[in-house]
């Protein structure tokens, strides 16, 4: 070693503590790079990369399949198989004209494409054209709508008082009132079908192929877990599942416990054998530099990366946004109608969550999600967030959904199929 080498460099290269620190530093930098590669899709992670994470992979494939289905139904003179008298599920979709792309085409197509004929017979589909003048919606006279829907719903013009209100809400862009009315209208129509399950899906989503048997299996699980539950989510966005601040005492206690455990372990090792190597300085550095650094990296990696949601049906009482797809037991759907009528104005998901919290109603979600949100502009007047490259609607996204993969006739997911 040259005589003019700085003393701190000399100590780093020649002492045990210095070499240990250099080894730690190299390992830490390597782990950071690995985290950037592994956790870029986790919205709860410090390594989240929106430019890559929001890529539509499987959902784009699903849109193509759905579009092919709709085009075939649009050119067909014969109606596709419709729901039969043995209806098990009523599927309701309210749709309004979008400024550019009409998402309802791939949305509805993805729900029907891939269904076995027997499955289709158990589903009663209702499409609400959410305009007081239905001619405003481009799909209203398209052949596929008549060919694939059990019922195309428009507003009742004979009820002039209510119809005049709808006209006013449209003119004033009072989305918070009109959306509640549309939801009630669809729910009531579906309840009248006699179906055991009422599924409400927004018109800017796509469904995984095989969603229906997966949903029915999930409903059986939900029923086995609770006798009084509100809904089963078919969609949720993971971005609210991070290290939420209300749990900071738990995180702090766990971190302190880990640091204490490291100190106890090092003191025990020094006492038993390594008293010449494990000095007070080594213990202090390990407890107040190395261990906190690794704990910090653990939190930076993201909660969903460290504790991913396992596949299956889970209670989801918190953070389960939004209302893109929900299944209600028919008796509960009638109670939902009553609750929404009481409120009259607001957002469906927020009203339901407040009600569930008040009455301690169980809420379930199926993991991985069976729906993906593809809308770039909200029908409720949502716009781009300030100084953000994406609209708020575009960030309502399920990242796990994009891991579905079509293999032959089967759709697999790594969390289920390994």
């Amino acid at each position: 070693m040259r005589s003019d080498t700085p003393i701190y460099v000399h100590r780093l290269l020649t002492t045990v503590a210095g070499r240990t620190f250099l080894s730690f530093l190299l390992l830490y930098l390597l782990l950071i790079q690995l985290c950037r590669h592994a956790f870029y899709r986790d919205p709860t992670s410090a390594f989240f990369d929106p430019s890559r994470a929001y890529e539509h992979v499987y959902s784009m494939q699903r849109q193509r399949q759905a579009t092919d289905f709709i085009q075939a139904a649009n050119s067909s003179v014969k109606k596709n198989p419709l729901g039969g008298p043995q209806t098990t599920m009523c599927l309701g979709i309210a749709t309004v004209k979008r400024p550019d792309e009409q998402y309802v085409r791939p949305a509805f197509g993805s729900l029907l494409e891939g269904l076995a004929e027997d499955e289709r017979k158990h589903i009663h589909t209702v499409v609400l054209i959410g305009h007081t003048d239905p001619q405003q919606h481009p799909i209203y006279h398209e052949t596929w709508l008549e060919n694939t829907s059990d019922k195309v719903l428009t507003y009742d013009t004979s009820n002039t008082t209510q119809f005049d209100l709808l006209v006013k809400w449209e003119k004033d862009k009072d989305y918070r009132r009109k959306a509640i009315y549309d939801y009630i209208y669809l729910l009531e129509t579906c309840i009248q079908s006699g179906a055991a399950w009422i599924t409400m899906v927004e018109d800017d989503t796509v469904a995984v192929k095989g969603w229906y048997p997966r949903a029915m299996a999930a409903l059986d699980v939900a029923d086995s877990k609770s006798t009084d539950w509100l809904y089963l989510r078919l969609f949720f966005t993971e971005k609210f599942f991070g290290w939420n601040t209300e749990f900071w005492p738990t995180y702090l206690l766990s971190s302190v416990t880990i640091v204490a455990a490291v100190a106890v372990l090092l003191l025990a090792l020094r006492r038993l054998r390594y008293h010449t190597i494990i000095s007070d300085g080594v213990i202090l550095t390990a407890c107040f530099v190395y261990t906190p650094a690794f704990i910090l990296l653990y939190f930076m990696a993201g909660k969903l990366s460290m504790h991913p949601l396992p596949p299956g049906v889970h209670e989801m009482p918190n953070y389960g946004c939004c209302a893109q797809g929900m299944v209600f037991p028919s008796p509960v759907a009638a109670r939902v109608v009553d609750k929404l009528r009481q409120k009259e104005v607001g957002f469906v998901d927020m009203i339901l969550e407040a009600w569930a919290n008040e009455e301690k109603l169980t809420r379930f979600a199926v993991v991985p999600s069976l729906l993906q949100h593809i809308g770039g502009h909200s029908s409720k007047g949502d716009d781009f967030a300030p100084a953000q490259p994406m609209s708020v609607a575009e960030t309502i996204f399920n990242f796990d959904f994009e891991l579905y993969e079509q293999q032959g006739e089967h759709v697999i997911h790594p969390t289920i199929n390994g």
Side-chain angles (χ1 to χ4, degrees):
M1 185 72 66
R2 293 175 52 183
S3 59
D4 59 346
T5 303
I7 186 65
Y8 65 89
V9 175
H10 178 75
R11 288 179 176 174
L12 279 175
L13 297 176
T14 60
T15 64
V16 173
R19 290 172 180 171
T20 301
F21 179 78
L22 287 177
S23 299
F24 159 78
L25 189 60
L26 289 173
L27 175 61
Y28 203 77
L29 292 174
L30 176 61
L31 288 174
I32 287 176
Q33 293 304 314
L34 290 174
C35 288
R36 285 177 175 168
H37 174 74
F39 305 138
Y40 72 91
R41 298 181 63 259
D42 180 357
T44 71
S45 172
F47 304 101
F48 178 62
D49 182 358
S51 65
R52 293 189 291 162
Y54 284 104
E55 182 181 4
H56 291 265
V57 182
Y58 177 72
S59 60
M60 188 58 68
Q61 177 185 357
R62 199 69 187 117
Q63 287 182 68
R64 289 193 294 266
Q65 293 172 340
T67 299
D68 290 343
F69 176 89
I70 292 298
Q71 288 176 348
N74 214 34
S75 60
S76 173
V77 295
K78 181 180 178 182
K79 295 192 78 167
N80 286 265
L82 301 181
Q86 65 274 46
T87 297
T88 302
M89 176 183 289
C90 181
L91 176 62
I93 299 182
T95 179
V96 295
K97 178 184 177 182
R98 304 295 180 122
D100 300 311
E101 182 180 359
Q102 304 309 313
Y103 303 119
V104 66
R105 296 187 185 110
F108 197 62
S110 70
L111 290 162
L112 299 183
E113 195 279 331
L115 289 177
E117 186 171 337
D118 183 62
E119 292 171 344
R120 179 63 185 93
K121 288 179 180 178
H122 284 82
I123 303 174
H124 180 80
T125 59
V126 182
V127 179
L128 168 62
I129 305 297
H131 294 274
T132 51
D133 177 9
Q135 311 281 348
Q136 292 182 11
H137 203 305
I139 72 166
Y140 184 58
H141 288 298
E142 292 180 358
T143 305
W144 68 266
L145 183 61
E146 181 67 22
N147 277 353
T148 60
S149 305
D150 293 293
K151 187 177 184 64
V152 178
L153 200 60
T154 56
Y155 297 124
D156 181 7
T157 57
S158 64
N159 185 343
T160 55
T161 302
Q162 181 61 63
F163 190 78
D164 289 345
L165 272 177
L166 288 167
V167 171
K168 181 179 185 301
W169 293 340
E170 275 189 345
K171 182 180 178 181
D172 296 343
K173 297 184 178 181
D174 193 346
Y175 305 108
R176 297 203 303 161
R177 292 184 187 275
K178 186 174 178 299
I180 295 294
Y181 178 85
D182 288 351
Y183 212 84
I184 291 172
Y185 191 21
L186 261 180
L187 278 175
E188 288 185 319
T189 303
C190 271
I191 291 169
Q192 292 168 8
S193 74
W197 305 106
I198 312 298
T199 301
M200 300 289 283
V201 176
E202 294 200 351
D203 70 339
D204 55 356
T205 59
V206 290
V208 62
K209 190 169 187 173
W211 71 272
Y212 178 72
R214 294 174 190 254
M216 293 305 296
L219 289 168
D220 286 341
V221 174
D223 258 350
S224 70
K225 290 186 173 185
S226 175
T227 57
D228 185 24
W229 51 276
L230 178 56
Y231 61 66
L232 172 73
R233 281 189 177 277
L234 304 184
F235 171 90
F236 62 93
T237 180
E238 303 101 324
K239 65 181 181 178
F240 301 115
F241 284 80
W243 305 106
N244 294 292
T245 54
E246 59 263 40
F247 299 112
W248 74 263
T250 301
Y251 305 147
L252 179 61
L253 178 61
S254 299
S255 300
V256 171
T257 301
I258 292 171
V259 171
V262 171
V264 170
L265 176 62
L266 290 175
L267 287 169
L269 289 173
R270 182 169 73 174
R271 182 182 181 88
L272 292 173
R273 187 171 181 180
Y274 301 99
H275 57 276
T276 59
I277 299 176
I278 304 178
S279 64
D280 289 343
V282 168
I283 294 175
L284 289 173
T285 305
C287 290
F288 297 106
V289 178
Y290 301 153
T291 303
F294 283 120
I295 291 173
L296 176 62
L297 189 60
Y298 168 85
F299 283 106
M300 289 174 63
K303 187 175 181 181
L304 289 177
S305 297
M306 297 295 96
H307 303 279
L309 295 171
V313 177
H314 304 280
E315 288 191 29
M316 194 171 284
N318 298 306
Y319 316 119
C321 177
C322 300
Q324 271 65 32
M326 293 179 174
V327 187
F328 304 95
S330 186
V332 174
R335 294 164 59 192
V336 172
V337 167
D338 292 340
K339 177 57 65 173
L340 294 178
R341 275 215 175 94
Q342 292 172 17
K343 295 296 182 180
E344 293 186 349
V345 59
F347 297 104
V348 170
D349 56 337
M350 296 177 67
I351 292 172
L352 294 183
E353 295 308 304
W355 176 36
N357 289 335
E358 289 171 7
E359 301 197 13
K360 303 292 189 290
L361 297 174
T362 304
R363 289 148 282 177
F364 290 108
V366 57
V367 180
S369 174
L370 302 184
L371 299 176
Q372 177 64 291
H373 180 246
I374 60 171
H377 301 278
S378 173
S379 60
K380 302 175 182 64
D382 182 12
D383 204 346
F384 281 78
Q388 295 297 321
M390 301 175 68
S391 68
V392 173
E394 287 174 309
T395 65
I396 300 174
F397 194 83
N398 185 277
F399 299 90
D400 256 5
F401 183 91
E402 300 303 328
L403 297 181
Y404 280 113
E405 183 180 350
Q406 182 98 30
Q407 290 191 358
E409 292 299 314
H410 302 285
V411 175
I412 66 171
H413 194 280
T415 62
I416 301 174
N417 307 94

